[in-house]
Amino acid sequence: MSASVGPHSGGVGVEFRRVGLAYGARQVLHDIDLTIAAAERVCLIGPNGAGKSSLLRCLAGTASDRQGAVLVDGVPLEELSRQTLARRMAIVPGQVQLPFATRVEEVVALGRLPHEHPLLGARPADRIAVLRAMDRVGVAHLAGRDARELSMGERQLVVLAMAVAQGGRLLILDEPTVHLDLRHQVEVMTLLADLNERDGTTVLAVLHDLPLAMQSFPRLVLLAGGRIVADGPPAEVITAQRVRDVYGVEARFVPGVG
């Protein structure tokens, strides 16, 4: 992973104001108040069903029945066009499906669609951004291959490269390391830190791996039952008592927590 994809003008700030979400009769988020400053690096943690991915859906604009307000750079989400959002935020989903044969570089190039000229299509700057993103994420050696034939871990890295090529100042990731081996997990966390610290990209991720989250993010937000139960530095959020209360296990089973 190497050189920067391009200049950034600083991260994007996000604010959730009394955000709620229900799936039918089941309320999955309850009055969430959360502010993420521009250029912060934040990880959402919590057990299955805590509301982590649902909160990301609210930010991505795919939760049409959301209650409350979500603001991006101080502007309500509903007032921003899809193209404006696509230029400001890039999303890396937890599961990626590719329905037809597509070369790796073509997948990565999808990240440039919000920036392409409406008539001329991809320009030299777009092609350069794709090459730099592939190099930075470490997938340049996969160029020319059918993305459907890649392992799940390789495919996840390609989608991350697409998000990097997109150049959004807000990067949203739902379980970005779920299919990766230990080496690639470390490399992805290093990349996220570099995007955040060197480029000023705001990073908001969901992780289930508590030790990885504690080691990789300066701020953790712990959710349980659709509510925020703790928010702050890892050592303050992940305590032995909270692990027992929220996860129902003894802290000795979680490395780094005692």
Side-chain angles (χ1 to χ4, degrees):
M1 300 182 184
S2 60
S4 174
V5 170
H8 287 245
S9 56
V12 169
V14 174
E15 186 176 357
F16 298 88
R17 294 181 182 173
R18 297 185 63 82
V19 168
L21 182 65
Y23 298 138
R26 184 168 65 94
Q27 191 76 23
V28 295
L29 293 175
H30 304 265
D31 292 332
I32 296 291
D33 286 313
L34 176 64
T35 298
I36 299 169
E40 267 201 291
R41 189 165 82 252
V42 181
C43 186
L44 304 178
I45 57 172
N48 290 338
K52 306 180 297 297
S53 295
S54 294
L55 194 59
L56 293 191
R57 286 189 61 228
C58 291
L59 176 56
T62 59
S64 58
D65 48 355
R66 187 204 78 223
Q67 304 117 32
V70 177
L71 287 76
V72 177
D73 270 350
V75 180
L77 197 64
E78 294 76 12
E79 296 181 13
L80 296 169
S81 69
R82 298 310 302 177
Q83 184 177 36
T84 297
L85 284 174
R87 288 178 174 176
R88 293 189 186 183
M89 70 170 71
I91 301 171
V92 179
Q95 299 289 335
V96 180
Q97 300 295 330
L98 298 171
F100 47 84
T102 311
R103 294 196 307 273
V104 165
E105 59 270 30
E106 293 174 333
V107 175
V108 178
L110 293 175
R112 298 304 303 169
L113 289 177
H115 306 279
E116 288 181 2
H117 191 281
L119 298 178
L120 302 178
R123 291 166 289 186
D126 297 308
R127 289 186 280 273
I128 290 171
V130 168
L131 294 175
R132 286 180 173 174
M134 292 177 66
D135 182 53
R136 191 168 188 181
V137 179
V139 296
H141 67 287
L142 298 175
R145 292 185 57 182
D146 184 346
R148 297 180 306 170
E149 298 175 355
L150 303 178
S151 69
M152 291 298 292
E154 289 172 328
R155 195 180 301 179
Q156 191 72 10
L157 291 174
V158 169
V159 174
L160 179 55
M162 179 179 68
V164 172
Q166 190 172 335
R169 296 182 292 121
L170 169 61
L171 184 57
I172 305 168
L173 310 101
D174 192 355
E175 288 292 336
T177 61
V178 66
H179 299 297
L180 303 181
D181 60 25
L182 181 59
R183 179 174 70 87
H184 285 108
Q185 287 183 19
V186 172
E187 288 183 353
V188 167
M189 291 299 105
T190 301
L191 172 64
L192 295 183
D194 189 57
L195 288 167
N196 172 242
E197 295 169 3
R198 184 153 61 105
D199 296 3
T201 304
T202 306
V203 177
L204 177 61
V206 164
L207 287 179
H208 275 108
D209 188 324
L210 286 185
L212 188 62
M214 293 172 69
Q215 294 166 8
S216 306
F217 287 84
R219 179 184 173 191
L220 304 181
V221 178
L222 175 61
L223 284 85
R227 293 182 170 86
I228 295 176
V229 297
D231 179 356
E236 296 179 11
V237 170
I238 304 299
T239 64
Q241 186 61 51
R242 283 213 181 93
V243 170
R244 284 191 291 268
D245 292 345
V246 173
Y247 291 92
V249 298
E250 289 300 319
R252 66 177 179 271
F253 296 113
V254 181
V257 182

